[in-house]
Amino acid sequence: MKPIGLLLILSAFLSCLACSRNSSKSSSPTLEPHSGSQDSVIFDIAPVDHAPNRWRGTYTSGGKVSKFIIEIGPAKAFNEKDFQMSSGSGKFLSQSGSEPGVFLANLAKALQAKKVPTNVHRVEIVPFDYVILGQHQSRSSDGGFGDSPNGNWTAMKIFLGEGENVGEVFLNFNFAMGKAEFSIKDSDYGDFVISQLAKVL
């Protein structure tokens, strides 16, 4: 993993650790919540046959279907006293016949991007690094995540790009429901994140 990736993951770890310590006083701890459905876009996921670390993502709206593959590599655990987090690398893979226009427009709105990419040069693969912020999470009424009670969500943050050009976005999964979502991390990342995702969605 590149040095910038390690620095970003360390930063995410420290911020999440602080969040966990602050929330330990509450009966429903929350891991980096987002403000609600207007800041996220949910899509369908299904396992890919004979590929246990791959899921097929689809988003259907307005008669258009965006389709892509998400591959998540093995995670390596971090341990800090009673707090645990894990990180690794993954990639998005493009699929022929995808019609991402509506998906990209809705993502741009959710991520507070200033524009929707046009004339995009599609590629086969867009890699990312990830940090798993929590597993067996339940959804709270404000759209955040907590582990009391346990649930089926996995809360994850991904890092797109390399060098000084890196953007962050939450990518959360609920395999029991067959759902996943992209959710805003920071509006400053909106345009960069959408420009990267547009290459493969």
Side-chain angles (χ1 to χ4, degrees):
M1 185 179 295
K2 300 179 179 60
I4 186 67
L6 291 174
L7 289 174
L8 287 168
I9 288 174
L10 179 59
S11 174
F13 171 74
L14 293 175
S15 64
C16 193
L17 178 60
C19 177
S20 175
R21 286 173 175 168
N22 290 337
S23 64
S24 64
K25 300 177 182 179
S26 168
S27 60
S28 299
T30 301
L31 290 175
E32 297 201 67
H34 59 77
S35 59
S37 59
Q38 66 179 359
D39 292 333
S40 61
V41 178
I42 292 180
F43 56 93
D44 297 317
I45 54 172
V48 176
D49 292 341
H50 310 298
N53 63 334
R54 287 188 174 189
W55 289 267
R56 180 175 291 102
T58 56
Y59 181 86
T60 304
S61 181
K64 304 294 184 180
V65 180
S66 177
K67 49 187 178 179
F68 53 98
I69 299 293
I70 304 170
E71 180 177 310
I72 301 176
K76 183 176 181 179
F78 287 91
N79 289 288
E80 177 67 21
K81 296 183 179 179
D82 59 347
F83 189 84
Q84 187 177 71
M85 193 164 63
S86 53
S87 67
S89 298
K91 54 189 173 184
F92 296 105
L93 298 93
S94 62
Q95 297 288 282
S96 61
S98 180
E99 300 175 292
V102 178
F103 193 20
L104 289 175
N106 290 338
L107 272 176
K109 182 178 180 180
L111 302 182
Q112 298 181 27
K114 296 179 178 64
K115 59 183 179 180
V116 179
T118 57
N119 300 320
V120 176
H121 174 65
R122 288 179 63 80
V123 298
E124 292 184 5
I125 295 172
V126 168
F128 60 84
D129 293 325
Y130 70 82
V131 174
I132 295 177
L133 304 172
Q135 294 178 295
H136 310 297
Q137 300 289 294
S138 57
R139 208 61 180 268
S140 63
S141 59
D142 65 358
F145 294 99
D147 54 13
S148 179
N150 283 349
N152 295 310
W153 283 96
T154 295
M156 187 168 80
K157 181 162 62 175
I158 66 172
F159 305 87
L160 295 159
E162 59 182 356
E164 296 182 356
N165 296 316
V166 176
E168 303 175 18
V169 65
F170 293 115
L171 176 57
N172 307 312
F173 296 93
N174 189 318
F175 298 113
M177 292 175 58
K179 299 290 184 181
E181 68 175 11
F182 288 110
S183 181
I184 188 171
K185 170 59 174 68
D186 190 307
S187 59
D188 289 343
Y189 296 128
D191 284 311
F192 182 80
V193 168
I194 200 72
S195 71
Q196 295 298 300
L197 294 177
K199 298 175 182 179
V200 287
L201 297 184

